[in-house]
Amino acid sequence: MSDRNMSPKITGELLRQLRQVMKNCKYVSEPLQAYIIPSGDAHQSEYIAPCDCRREFICGFNGSAGTAIVTEQYAAMWTDGRYFLQATQQMDNNWTLMKMGLKETPSQEDWLISVLPENSKVGVDPWIIAADQWKAMSKALTSAGHSLIAVQENLIDVVWVDRPQRPSTQLRTLGSDYTGMSWQDKITALRAKMTERKMSWFIATALDEIAWLFNLRGADIEYNPVFFAYTIVGIDTIRLFVDIKRLADPALREHLQLDTPSKPELHIQTFPYESVFAELQAICTALGHKDKVWICDKASCALTQVIPQAHRSTIPYTPLCLAKAVKNTTEIQGMKTAHIKDAVALCDLFAWLEKEIPKGTVTEISAADKAEELRSQQKHFVGLSFPTISSVGPNAAIIHYRPLPETNRTLTVNEVYLIDSGAQYIDGTTDVTRTVHFGTPSAYEKECFTYVLKGHIAVSAAVFPNGTKGHLLDSFARAALWESGLDYLHGTGHGVGCFLNVHEGPCGISYKTFADEPLEAGMIVSDEPGYYEDGAFGIRLENVVLVVPAKPKYNYRNRGSLTFEPLTLVPIQVKMMNTELLTQKERDWVNEYHRTCREVVGAELERQGRKEALEWLIRETQPIV
Amino acid sequence: MSDRNMSPKITGELLRQLRQVMKNCKYVSEPLQAYIIPSGDAHQSEYIAPCDCRREFICGFNGSAGTAIVTEQYAAMWTDGRYFLQATQQMDNNWTLMKMGLKETPSQEDWLISVLPENSKVGVDPWIIAADQWKAMSKALTSAGHSLIAVQENLIDVVWVDRPQRPSTQLRTLGSDYTGMSWQDKITALRAKMTERKMSWFIATALDEIAWLFNLRGADIEYNPVFFAYTIVGIDTIRLFVDIKRLADPALREHLQLDTPSKPELHIQTFPYESVFAELQAICTALGHKDKVWICDKASCALTQVIPQAHRSTIPYTPLCLAKAVKNTTEIQGMKTAHIKDAVALCDLFAWLEKEIPKGTVTEISAADKAEELRSQQKHFVGLSFPTISSVGPNAAIIHYRPLPETNRTLTVNEVYLIDSGAQYIDGTTDVTRTVHFGTPSAYEKECFTYVLKGHIAVSAAVFPNGTKGHLLDSFARAALWESGLDYLHGTGHGVGCFLNVHEGPCGISYKTFADEPLEAGMIVSDEPGYYEDGAFGIRLENVVLVVPAKPKYNYRNRGSLTFEPLTLVPIQVKMMNTELLTQKERDWVNEYHRTCREVVGAELERQGRKEALEWLIRETQPIV
């Protein structure tokens, strides 16, 4: 990921070249009247490698979400409200910003139909567009007399002369002491699901699913310990598509049993990353009458369309995604350990900030750097799990803020400070947000903080029946804010991987989706309500929480109940609370949470000899009344 | 609606006849291997007229939901958990009951594919099946090599020799003092929506939308004051399809300005009910290049498919449905008046029950009859709005219970009594549930009742931002039950019409849907959490509530806030409450609610000279501490 540029990219010449390529019969069988450049890679990753930042390359805008479309006359880029300002700054006047979510903004389809000459060809790279998006776009264009064309060679790559290489970092093997389950057992469980659903083949395209399946990690994408690969699992074959050079390491070969497979059906055949298309084609040519191929409905259009429709079975969440979401005992233990280490680093950070801020030398960037330094001192630290959001005063009201030299503010005793950060440790992934004041918060800041806290507790302490989907809990986080006319415009929680992506499916807590899978004991999600006062301050309070069985008084229809156990163990600043607004139950929750923080993190601080942090912890976890 | 039969219908001969008709070239161009008989009518009504009870006719089962399929060899009927027992009792052994919701039960599509010979033709009446259901069924059958055939003549009607006539009751006109808006203004508003969305035509097929549009009411379907009709609105034409005999009444002709239209574009052309198909065909033949026809996606397949796909624009909720849901000042006033009258009848009922029950002569049926008698004494009473659920002890645990001579229990001082009832008045529609005990409830019954009450209050008192969808409030109703491991397996609320259907879209409060429209001030919904202990007792607490603006302390992003105002004003039995489980806020809510009941309903009881009921009301609305 590149940093945020504040001056627009000059794109006139690039667009001229792209428009030439759009008509060049070396790349397209018929001239294109438009070319779509989505963000994203061939694996539909949330974070992408530099070589895949094609939309940024062509228009200059480098936010995480956006789609560019270039026609013979126009160039337009669609993004959402988080990025309107940034996109305006980063794009030159060859580009029109299409503000998604505003009523007057046309959809990509409607806009294309309004500007294209009759019977136009619209091109797109079928590897970058998901199968379901292709379908919707193709239908809209076709009904207006145009057609959507899959252009095999990416036309941005043609004009991108210094495009970076696809990363091929060293692979790390994880033993059962970290994963709790061998890849062989994961393959066996996957095949059981395939048999149950009468599937002959399963295609894995999501990078975190492949890393999880083989108990391997890479560093191909910043913050996400994954590597570029595909996998095709048959009932008695396993095909792994990956840069073959990466497989030279003897320990890795041993881990994957490449040379000495224990059983023939556990023999991994390795192929170059690029050969997945040809190999899947070969498999599909030889499909029997009843053979079914299982693939995620968010997989690339290119791979999906190789599978003949009669043999294709698409699903919103793959069996790997579902299995990965429910953490086993070893993973849970690892996540707990990681969160204790992470809490040690944060206690250290807050003790340090308290001391340093009055000197006027701490900035958003230096605080973030300090947090990273302290985390890196912890055992098994690998890197951050996402770019640290370190934000003071009005900057914290920008939900996806990331400090840059041009925006960097100094931490003072006069403004609220919000830090949302996390790390990758070999034993687990963390993600925590705390909002603190180093002087005296205003009554209004305290009031808003307390509503957010009430929402956080309402979710964390909720008891709900087995089978409940996370989106049904979202309103609990908002009720206290709503009662006072306040709200926040983001979801309340996301799934968290175990030494994997900090955002993962299939569960979450959000009003936005209805397609999440029910919460199950062993799933791990974040609980992060907030409140943002534009131009003034931002508040967010985030714990990572584990879904655990609950034992309420009754057990209706033997369904069983669930609740959450916080994995994050960092004190919540009492100074920011208006404790009069808390009920007795809420006060009890705060005291019980702080007792656990003191006990568990205190012991580790003691063991690590971090005295100042320990003193800070003890002071910050005094019971409230 | 016919009553519930407890002995199975003998269907052997009927099925033999139907199977002959399925091969008779007088009715089908090619022999059918299967025929689908959905429940429902050509307007996708929830309640249907006797002439439309075709699924009941062929299999004997008369529950509100179920689909029968007859093949050459088999006859199967799908229904859900509410009706397993009833369906078993009502169907003979020619029929297989397909229990929906159980894992082992195949879908209709899967079952058909498993039993049909290759290349089969499956027939269905395209008027009874909705366009979206047709699409799904057709796709599944086609992909398995079969085909779905629209059979124009209903094959059940062919074998149903004594099928009742379609009702054609007298139409009632409603003036502006009841509707608050002339039908002319409603047409003008509809056309404004059509123009905004660039629609040339709008097809109305839902009976309540047509009744609302023209400010007319009928009595064609029990409990629902609607009449069989279709309407096609163009930019300067109005076509009404209805039994022409109904239009003889001079007052009605005057209301509709049939003979003296004020403006040409408000001239209603009337056509026979049956001619809608031919007329729509004629319109579609003459469509211009850009003309679009607007129709609900739940309209019948027959009408939908007349519209060429390129000109068809389907929507989940029509502009009439959306406009009807937001009640105007006159309608709100009417609903309030109706609810006061309804409360008078219920206070009278409860006072009477208290006196009569100790005599041992009151049964579920006689209590329901008494409730109807008392309601019918109120001004502008038209009839019930749904069959009264009057249920004692274990019967109340059956959510859709309706007392029958075979199940009828006597009300005593030993069991909980649940009554869910409502009426149609010319000024409004009511729907109220109260759960009471005439002796001493057990601690457990009180505990459960109090959780339900807490849920009811949590929804009723909720403050939420403009734009919030009702399904986001559903969990509020469950939180107290969930905390104790309890729950109820139905939604929390439905939209309520104004002297129209007691269930209407597009809003509601349920975990089951994500497709509801946001709540708006002026919408009216029910708030009815419950708890059901199988074999023991049932609890439900239902008020009809009006969405009103709220004025919380802050106003985030000027979005504005909403809350609910109860329209139902019937005391909630304090004897059933464990007040220790209530928070101070909840106790305040109860006292404030009871104060309003006493003030508003008390004045009307006084005016009507209903002394015993007034005494009862005053006693039942004493403040709790």
Side-chain angles (χ1 to χ4, degrees):
Chain A
M1 282 198 137
S2 43
D3 270 336
R4 178 171 158 188
N5 296 308
M6 297 295 281
S7 56
K9 175 163 180 167
I10 309 302
T11 60
E13 173 57 21
L14 272 180
L15 285 171
R16 198 190 55 77
Q17 290 174 12
L18 177 62
R19 287 176 175 133
Q20 279 195 337
V21 173
M22 283 162 57
K23 287 180 221 154
N24 186 332
C25 63
K26 189 170 157 199
Y27 306 107
V28 292
S29 52
E30 281 182 275
L32 299 178
Q33 281 69 47
Y35 188 64
I36 304 176
I37 308 110
S39 51
D41 63 15
H43 306 272
Q44 279 62 51
S45 304
E46 184 190 5
Y47 291 70
I48 55 178
C51 62
D52 289 318
C53 295
R54 298 181 179 99
R55 188 253 300 140
E56 175 187 351
F57 171 77
I58 195 67
C59 73
F61 165 65
N62 71 353
S64 71
T67 297
I69 301 184
V70 175
T71 70
E72 290 163 309
Q73 281 191 288
Y74 305 99
M77 205 281 299
W78 280 255
T79 191
D80 63 65
R82 291 174 294 172
Y83 293 119
F84 292 166
L85 182 64
Q86 181 178 336
T88 309
Q89 290 166 343
Q90 295 183 325
M91 298 196 305
D92 71 7
N93 58 17
N94 288 302
W95 287 86
T96 306
L97 172 59
M98 294 294 194
K99 298 182 173 182
M100 286 164 65
L102 301 194
K103 269 198 179 161
E104 62 270 26
T105 306
S107 68
Q108 292 161 29
E109 292 88 337
D110 286 348
W111 181 79
L112 276 169
I113 291 166
S114 74
V115 302
L116 287 177
E118 272 183 35
N119 200 17
S120 284
K121 314 279 171 212
V122 179
V124 69
D125 180 343
W127 289 91
I128 308 302
I129 191 167
D132 52 355
Q133 292 169 315
W134 167 281
K135 209 168 156 182
M137 176 62 80
S138 177
K139 191 176 165 193
L141 291 177
T142 305
S143 82
H146 310 297
S147 47
L148 186 62
I149 308 287
V151 182
Q152 289 306 322
E153 181 136 10
N154 190 296
L155 301 190
I156 300 297
D157 296 358
V158 175
V159 299
W160 192 353
V161 287
D162 54 351
R163 178 168 168 252
Q165 286 249 306
R166 186 162 299 284
S168 182
T169 55
Q170 204 193 329
L171 297 182
R172 178 198 299 267
T173 63
L174 292 180
S176 303
D177 43 339
Y178 289 103
T179 64
M181 192 173 186
S182 69
W183 65 260
Q184 290 89 340
D185 287 347
K186 290 179 180 176
I187 289 277
T188 305
L190 168 63
R191 284 182 176 147
K193 287 278 170 207
M194 289 166 63
T195 306
E196 190 187 312
R197 301 287 293 268
K198 304 199 172 95
M199 297 290 156
S200 308
W201 300 94
F202 170 74
I203 320 295
T205 66
L207 301 184
D208 61 339
E209 295 181 15
I210 297 168
W212 177 84
L213 177 63
F214 291 111
N215 294 333
L216 291 177
R217 297 295 185 269
D220 290 1
I221 295 182
E222 207 178 353
Y223 310 112
N224 295 166
V226 296
F227 56 95
F228 287 101
Y230 291 101
T231 297
I232 301 179
V233 177
I235 290 304
D236 49 17
T237 57
I238 307 168
R239 289 172 176 81
L240 174 61
F241 301 84
V242 70
D243 181 2
I244 296 291
K245 287 197 302 293
R246 308 174 94 151
L247 302 173
D249 174 35
L252 178 66
R253 298 192 71 81
E254 169 66 25
H255 173 86
L256 292 178
Q257 297 194 298
L258 291 184
D259 307 309
T260 53
S262 57
K263 300 176 189 167
E265 70 271 22
L266 291 174
H267 172 53
I268 299 175
Q269 299 168 265
T270 57
F271 296 83
Y273 175 71
E274 294 75 16
S275 64
V276 63
F277 189 82
E279 193 62 23
L280 182 57
Q281 263 184 330
I283 288 172
C284 288
T285 314
L287 285 176
H289 176 60
K290 286 191 161 180
D291 283 338
K292 287 262 181 193
V293 184
W294 223 6
I295 191 165
C296 183
D297 61 10
K298 282 168 272 306
S300 70
C301 171
L303 277 188
T304 305
Q305 294 196 345
V306 171
I307 309 163
Q309 192 143 22
H311 296 275
R312 192 193 304 160
S313 181
T314 60
I315 26 165
Y317 300 110
T318 74
L320 295 186
C321 173
L322 295 167
K324 174 167 63 61
V326 181
K327 274 72 179 173
N328 62 40
T329 325
T330 309
E331 290 170 319
I332 290 169
Q333 194 46 56
M335 285 293 273
K336 285 185 175 175
T337 309
H339 279 82
I340 294 168
K341 294 184 290 192
D342 210 57
V344 163
L346 280 187
C347 289
D348 237 346
L349 175 73
F350 286 120
W352 179 84
L353 285 175
E354 254 183 34
K355 222 174 45 192
E356 297 297 320
I357 283 171
K359 300 179 188 161
T361 53
V362 185
T363 66
E364 292 170 341
I365 292 177
S366 73
D369 290 346
K370 185 72 183 178
E372 181 164 3
E373 178 200 326
L374 290 166
R375 281 189 163 107
S376 72
Q377 295 166 3
Q378 295 298 316
K379 192 175 169 191
H380 293 333
F381 173 85
V382 176
L384 298 187
S385 56
F386 60 96
T388 298
I389 298 173
S390 170
S391 51
V392 171
N395 284 345
I398 303 162
I399 296 172
H400 288 84
Y401 180 75
R402 183 181 172 183
L404 297 170
E406 312 86 73
T407 62
N408 196 18
R409 286 172 77 93
T410 301
L411 277 67
T412 70
V413 295
N414 302 316
E415 289 185 309
V416 174
Y417 175 60
L418 182 158
I419 178 164
D420 183 351
S421 60
Q424 299 287 1
Y425 303 91
I426 301 176
D427 37 13
T429 302
T430 65
D431 181 2
V432 46
T433 310
R434 287 295 178 267
T435 305
V436 293
H437 203 293
F438 295 98
T440 307
S442 73
Y444 182 55
E445 287 163 347
K446 287 170 68 172
E447 183 185 356
C448 294
F449 181 93
T450 308
Y451 296 147
V452 172
L453 172 63
K454 287 167 89 80
H456 178 90
I457 297 172
V459 170
S460 196
V463 174
F464 48 91
N466 258 313
T468 303
K469 293 180 168 197
H471 73 261
L472 291 172
L473 308 180
D474 185 76
S475 302
F476 290 160
R478 298 176 201 273
L481 286 161
W482 282 356
E483 208 179 326
S484 295
L486 306 178
D487 196 8
Y488 54 95
L489 303 183
H490 59 71
T492 301
H494 53 79
V496 179
C498 181
F499 186 28
L500 264 177
N501 296 356
V502 74
H503 295 160
E504 68 170 29
C507 57
I509 303 175
S510 174
Y511 63 97
K512 286 184 218 159
T513 176
F514 209 57
D516 51 332
E517 288 286 314
L519 294 168
E520 271 182 61
M523 284 181 168
I524 292 178
V525 295
S526 69
D527 169 14
E528 47 179 317
Y531 176 69
Y532 310 92
E533 182 95 2
D534 285 345
F537 62 88
I539 291 163
R540 187 161 60 251
L541 185 47
E542 176 185 26
N543 278 355
V544 169
V545 295
L546 171 69
V547 183
V548 294
K551 293 267 170 268
K553 199 166 168 187
Y554 306 112
N555 187 7
Y556 179 63
R557 300 212 168 181
N558 285 313
R559 278 200 293 173
S561 290
L562 299 169
T563 186
F564 296 110
E565 176 190 328
L567 297 182
T568 305
L569 293 174
V570 178
I572 299 163
Q573 196 179 40
V574 172
K575 192 200 277 183
M576 284 293 291
M577 301 176 197
N578 177 345
T579 53
E580 283 173 23
L581 296 176
L582 297 176
T583 64
Q584 188 55 49
K585 259 187 168 171
E586 288 163 344
R587 281 189 288 266
D588 292 346
W589 186 94
V590 169
N591 289 334
E592 173 61 22
Y593 178 69
H594 278 162
R595 204 189 51 72
T596 309
C597 290
R598 186 194 289 210
E599 218 173 270
V600 177
V601 181
E604 181 63 17
L605 282 168
E606 187 121 32
R607 209 187 57 74
Q608 295 193 19
R610 296 179 186 259
K611 285 201 180 156
E612 289 186 11
L614 181 57
E615 277 163 31
W616 178 89
L617 172 70
I618 289 169
R619 201 195 66 216
E620 290 289 311
T621 53
Q622 299 295 329
I624 58 173
V625 283
Chain B
M1 283 193 127
S2 42
D3 271 335
R4 179 172 159 188
N5 297 309
M6 298 296 281
S7 57
K9 173 163 181 168
I10 309 302
T11 61
E13 174 57 21
L14 272 181
L15 285 170
R16 198 189 56 74
Q17 290 175 10
L18 177 62
R19 286 175 177 132
Q20 279 195 338
V21 173
M22 283 162 58
K23 288 182 221 151
N24 186 333
C25 63
K26 190 172 157 197
Y27 306 107
V28 293
S29 52
E30 281 182 276
L32 299 178
Q33 281 69 49
Y35 188 65
I36 305 176
I37 308 108
S39 51
D41 63 16
H43 305 273
Q44 281 61 52
S45 304
E46 183 189 7
Y47 291 71
I48 56 178
C51 61
D52 289 317
C53 295
R54 298 180 177 100
R55 187 253 302 140
E56 175 187 350
F57 171 78
I58 195 67
C59 74
F61 165 65
N62 70 353
S64 70
T67 297
I69 302 185
V70 176
T71 71
E72 289 162 310
Q73 281 191 291
Y74 305 99
M77 205 283 299
W78 281 254
T79 191
D80 62 65
R82 290 175 294 172
Y83 292 119
F84 293 165
L85 181 65
Q86 180 178 337
T88 309
Q89 291 166 341
Q90 296 184 325
M91 298 195 306
D92 70 8
N93 58 16
N94 290 301
W95 287 87
T96 307
L97 172 59
M98 295 292 193
K99 297 181 173 182
M100 285 164 67
L102 302 193
K103 269 198 180 161
E104 63 271 25
T105 305
S107 68
Q108 293 161 26
E109 292 87 337
D110 288 348
W111 180 80
L112 276 169
I113 291 165
S114 73
V115 302
L116 287 177
E118 273 182 33
N119 200 15
S120 284
K121 313 279 171 218
V122 179
V124 68
D125 180 343
W127 288 91
I128 309 301
I129 191 166
D132 51 356
Q133 293 169 313
W134 167 281
K135 208 168 157 182
M137 176 60 80
S138 178
K139 191 177 164 192
L141 291 177
T142 305
S143 81
H146 308 298
S147 47
L148 186 62
I149 308 287
V151 183
Q152 288 306 323
E153 181 137 11
N154 190 295
L155 302 189
I156 299 297
D157 297 357
V158 175
V159 300
W160 191 352
V161 287
D162 54 351
R163 178 166 168 254
Q165 287 249 309
R166 184 162 303 283
S168 183
T169 56
Q170 205 192 330
L171 298 182
R172 179 197 300 267
T173 61
L174 292 180
S176 303
D177 42 338
Y178 289 103
T179 64
M181 192 174 186
S182 68
W183 65 260
Q184 290 89 340
D185 287 347
K186 290 179 180 179
I187 289 277
T188 305
L190 169 62
R191 285 183 176 146
K193 288 276 170 209
M194 290 167 62
T195 306
E196 190 188 313
R197 302 288 291 270
K198 302 197 176 99
M199 298 291 157
S200 308
W201 299 95
F202 170 74
I203 320 295
T205 67
L207 300 185
D208 61 339
E209 295 181 14
I210 297 168
W212 177 84
L213 177 63
F214 291 109
N215 294 333
L216 291 176
R217 297 295 185 269
D220 290 1
I221 295 182
E222 209 179 352
Y223 309 114
N224 296 165
V226 297
F227 56 96
F228 287 102
Y230 291 100
T231 298
I232 301 179
V233 177
I235 290 303
D236 49 17
T237 57
I238 307 168
R239 288 172 177 79
L240 173 62
F241 301 83
V242 69
D243 181 0
I244 295 290
K245 287 196 301 292
R246 307 173 96 153
L247 302 173
D249 175 33
L252 176 66
R253 297 192 71 82
E254 170 65 26
H255 173 85
L256 293 178
Q257 296 194 297
L258 291 183
D259 307 308
T260 52
S262 56
K263 298 177 193 170
E265 69 271 22
L266 291 175
H267 172 52
I268 300 175
Q269 299 168 266
T270 57
F271 296 83
Y273 175 70
E274 295 74 17
S275 64
V276 64
F277 188 83
E279 193 61 24
L280 182 56
Q281 262 183 329
I283 288 172
C284 288
T285 313
L287 285 176
H289 178 58
K290 288 191 160 179
D291 282 338
K292 289 261 180 193
V293 183
W294 223 5
I295 192 166
C296 183
D297 61 9
K298 283 168 271 306
S300 71
C301 171
L303 277 189
T304 305
Q305 293 195 347
V306 170
I307 310 163
Q309 193 142 21
H311 296 275
R312 193 193 303 159
S313 181
T314 61
I315 26 164
Y317 300 110
T318 72
L320 295 186
C321 174
L322 295 166
K324 172 168 65 61
V326 181
K327 274 70 178 173
N328 61 40
T329 325
T330 309
E331 289 170 321
I332 291 170
Q333 193 47 55
M335 286 292 273
K336 286 185 176 176
T337 308
H339 279 82
I340 294 167
K341 293 184 289 188
D342 210 57
V344 164
L346 280 186
C347 290
D348 236 345
L349 174 74
F350 286 120
W352 179 83
L353 285 174
E354 254 183 34
K355 220 173 47 189
E356 298 296 320
I357 284 170
K359 300 179 189 163
T361 53
V362 184
T363 66
E364 293 170 341
I365 292 178
S366 72
D369 291 345
K370 185 72 183 180
E372 182 166 0
E373 178 199 325
L374 290 166
R375 280 188 163 108
S376 73
Q377 295 166 2
Q378 295 298 316
K379 192 176 168 191
H380 291 333
F381 173 85
V382 175
L384 298 187
S385 56
F386 60 96
T388 298
I389 298 174
S390 169
S391 52
V392 171
N395 284 345
I398 303 163
I399 296 173
H400 288 84
Y401 180 75
R402 183 181 170 182
L404 297 169
E406 311 87 74
T407 63
N408 196 18
R409 285 172 76 92
T410 300
L411 276 68
T412 71
V413 294
N414 303 316
E415 289 184 310
V416 173
Y417 175 60
L418 182 158
I419 179 163
D420 183 351
S421 60
Q424 299 286 1
Y425 303 90
I426 301 177
D427 36 14
T429 302
T430 66
D431 180 2
V432 47
T433 310
R434 286 296 178 269
T435 305
V436 294
H437 202 293
F438 296 96
T440 307
S442 74
Y444 181 56
E445 287 163 346
K446 286 170 68 173
E447 183 186 356
C448 295
F449 181 92
T450 308
Y451 296 148
V452 172
L453 173 62
K454 287 168 88 81
H456 179 89
I457 297 172
V459 170
S460 196
V463 174
F464 48 91
N466 258 315
T468 302
K469 291 179 168 199
H471 72 261
L472 291 171
L473 308 180
D474 185 76
S475 300
F476 290 158
R478 298 176 202 275
L481 286 160
W482 281 357
E483 206 178 328
S484 294
L486 306 178
D487 197 7
Y488 54 95
L489 303 182
H490 60 71
T492 301
H494 52 81
V496 179
C498 181
F499 186 28
L500 264 177
N501 296 356
V502 75
H503 295 161
E504 68 170 29
C507 57
I509 303 175
S510 175
Y511 62 97
K512 287 182 214 158
T513 177
F514 210 56
D516 51 333
E517 287 286 314
L519 294 169
E520 271 181 62
M523 284 181 168
I524 292 178
V525 295
S526 70
D527 169 14
E528 46 179 317
Y531 176 71
Y532 311 92
E533 182 93 4
D534 284 345
F537 62 87
I539 290 163
R540 186 161 61 254
L541 186 45
E542 175 187 26
N543 278 355
V544 169
V545 295
L546 170 70
V547 183
V548 293
K551 293 265 169 267
K553 201 168 167 186
Y554 305 112
N555 187 8
Y556 178 63
R557 299 209 168 184
N558 285 313
R559 278 201 295 173
S561 291
L562 299 170
T563 186
F564 296 111
E565 175 190 327
L567 296 183
T568 305
L569 293 175
V570 179
I572 299 165
Q573 197 180 39
V574 171
K575 192 201 275 184
M576 284 294 291
M577 301 177 197
N578 177 344
T579 53
E580 283 173 23
L581 296 175
L582 297 176
T583 63
Q584 188 54 48
K585 259 187 170 173
E586 289 163 343
R587 282 190 288 266
D588 291 346
W589 185 94
V590 169
N591 289 335
E592 173 61 22
Y593 178 69
H594 279 162
R595 203 189 51 73
T596 309
C597 291
R598 187 194 288 206
E599 217 172 271
V600 177
V601 181
E604 181 64 18
L605 282 168
E606 186 121 31
R607 209 187 57 75
Q608 296 193 16
R610 295 177 187 261
K611 285 200 177 156
E612 288 186 11
L614 180 58
E615 276 163 31
W616 177 88
L617 172 70
I618 289 169
R619 201 193 66 218
E620 290 291 310
T621 52
Q622 299 295 329
I624 57 173
V625 282

